[in-house]
Amino acid sequence: KTVEDLSNILTFGFRGEALPSIASVSKLTLTTRVATEAAGTQIVITGGRLGNVRDVAWPVGTEISVRDLFFNVPARRKFLRSDATESFHVTNLVTHYALANPGVAFTLVSNGRESIRATPVATLRERAYQLLGPATVDRLVELDAEASGIRVRGFASNPQEQRTSRDAQYLFVNGRFVRDKSLGRAISDGYRSMMPSGTYPAVVLFVELAPERIDVNVHPAKTEVRFRDEHVVRSTVVAAIRDALERARMPVTSFPAPDNVPVQRHAAEETPAGSELDEVAPP
């Protein structure tokens, strides 16, 4: 409403063109009902053409079903990657959204198989148990630190829990899922000399700060942000990780400073080709 609102963004906004764009290249069914209505509404759109619109019995809430993506644009469809890779990206995205919203239920069904079911819970730890499993969460230490008006919370693994990619790092800024290179480097700095080069810890990291100290409009998908005081944010994240590991008295094995020596990956541990998560890896 005012010019000042541009530097005080607390909502995530809505890209209004996204849904009709998807509907133009798929068979889309949207079913929704608000609490004040006795019946729900179902809209069917095929390749951008409006089909049936009817009243239906439906619980409060919204379901969007997208089938046969790019069925009418075969030239675009051939650029899709393998089913396994595309499924990985979808599952990863839903996992991020579910971690950021513990009080919201999430269900993901792929090829008739339910791959994610998360009921509403009260805490981030409970949601992490649902999504990551007790075997992982029980080996994480809790992060909760604040400095210079920046709060860092979440979970981080001990240095012995080593992965060959950043797939197990979930990053959020003011509740927004991001793939931020500076936060990726801060995590690596927090574990510097504790882990061999080319390995990464598991981290669920929430960074919270005043909205005027961050620019969220530097990437079309809002997955990148720019901090006004990047060095302060990085140092706060590094300190939070190191303090948490020290408090938990995690056994630490000292490793020499990384020399950018590549680590041999096993095929089963590889991130699917084209994963954006590799983009946050430091050089």
Side-chain angles (χ1 to χ4, degrees):
K1 295 180 180 179
T2 67
V3 173
E4 289 72 23
D5 287 343
L6 293 175
S7 60
N8 192 40
I9 297 175
L10 294 171
T11 60
F12 297 149
F14 176 69
R15 293 182 64 194
E17 77 277 12
L19 195 58
S21 295
I22 295 170
S24 69
V25 293
S26 69
K27 300 174 183 177
L28 184 143
T29 302
L30 183 149
T31 311
T32 187
R33 182 170 79 88
V34 295
T36 55
E37 297 294 332
T41 300
Q42 185 174 82
I43 300 173
V44 177
I45 302 175
T46 302
R49 295 179 179 274
L50 182 63
N52 294 330
V53 178
R54 62 191 184 100
D55 292 338
V56 294
W58 191 255
V60 173
T62 300
E63 178 185 274
I64 298 173
S65 170
V66 179
R67 294 183 173 86
D68 294 336
L69 185 62
F70 301 128
F71 79 98
N72 58 343
V73 193
R76 180 65 184 85
R77 184 166 190 165
K78 69 181 182 181
F79 282 96
L80 287 174
R81 298 185 183 274
S82 68
D83 289 350
T85 299
E86 297 294 349
S87 178
F88 168 84
H89 288 306
V90 173
T91 301
N92 187 271
L93 192 64
V94 174
T95 300
H96 275 86
Y97 287 159
L99 284 170
N101 300 277
V104 179
F106 285 82
T107 303
L108 175 62
V109 178
S110 177
N111 293 325
R113 183 178 66 86
E114 187 177 276
S115 55
I116 291 179
R117 173 175 287 277
T119 57
V121 292
T123 67
L124 175 60
R125 176 172 285 274
E126 292 174 290
R127 178 49 56 89
Y129 264 97
Q130 292 177 329
L131 298 172
L132 308 180
T136 296
V137 177
D138 287 342
R139 294 196 295 267
L140 301 179
V141 297
E142 186 168 0
L143 306 176
D144 196 349
E146 188 168 354
S148 303
I150 301 167
R151 186 185 178 194
V152 176
R153 62 185 180 90
F155 303 97
S157 63
N158 71 63
Q160 277 64 45
E161 298 293 324
Q162 298 165 8
R163 291 162 169 78
T164 56
S165 73
R166 293 184 183 270
D167 292 353
Q169 294 185 1
Y170 303 91
L171 312 180
F172 305 87
V173 176
N174 287 355
R176 183 190 304 275
F177 150 53
V178 299
R179 304 184 193 275
D180 188 77
K181 295 180 180 179
S182 64
L183 292 181
R185 286 191 289 267
I187 293 170
S188 295
D189 288 345
Y191 285 85
R192 188 170 298 280
S193 79
M194 300 181 193
M195 300 176 67
S197 176
T199 62
Y200 307 94
V203 177
V204 179
L205 182 72
F206 285 80
V207 177
E208 298 163 359
L209 69 170
E212 63 267 19
R213 300 177 67 179
I214 182 175
D215 184 359
V216 300
N217 290 310
V218 297
H219 189 277
K222 304 296 192 292
T223 54
E224 296 178 12
V225 295
R226 181 176 294 119
F227 297 106
R228 177 180 296 177
D229 308 304
E230 181 178 322
H231 66 287
V232 178
V233 174
R234 288 181 60 176
S235 63
T236 303
V237 171
V238 171
I241 291 174
R242 290 188 172 268
D243 289 348
L245 294 177
E246 176 64 26
R247 287 197 313 272
R249 297 186 182 278
M250 288 291 186
V252 174
T253 301
S254 181
F255 290 92
D259 295 318
N260 293 324
V261 178
V263 172
Q264 182 66 38
R265 295 186 182 183
H266 298 291
E269 296 175 336
E270 286 283 358
T271 302
S275 171
E276 295 178 9
L277 294 180
D278 284 341
E279 295 177 4
V280 300

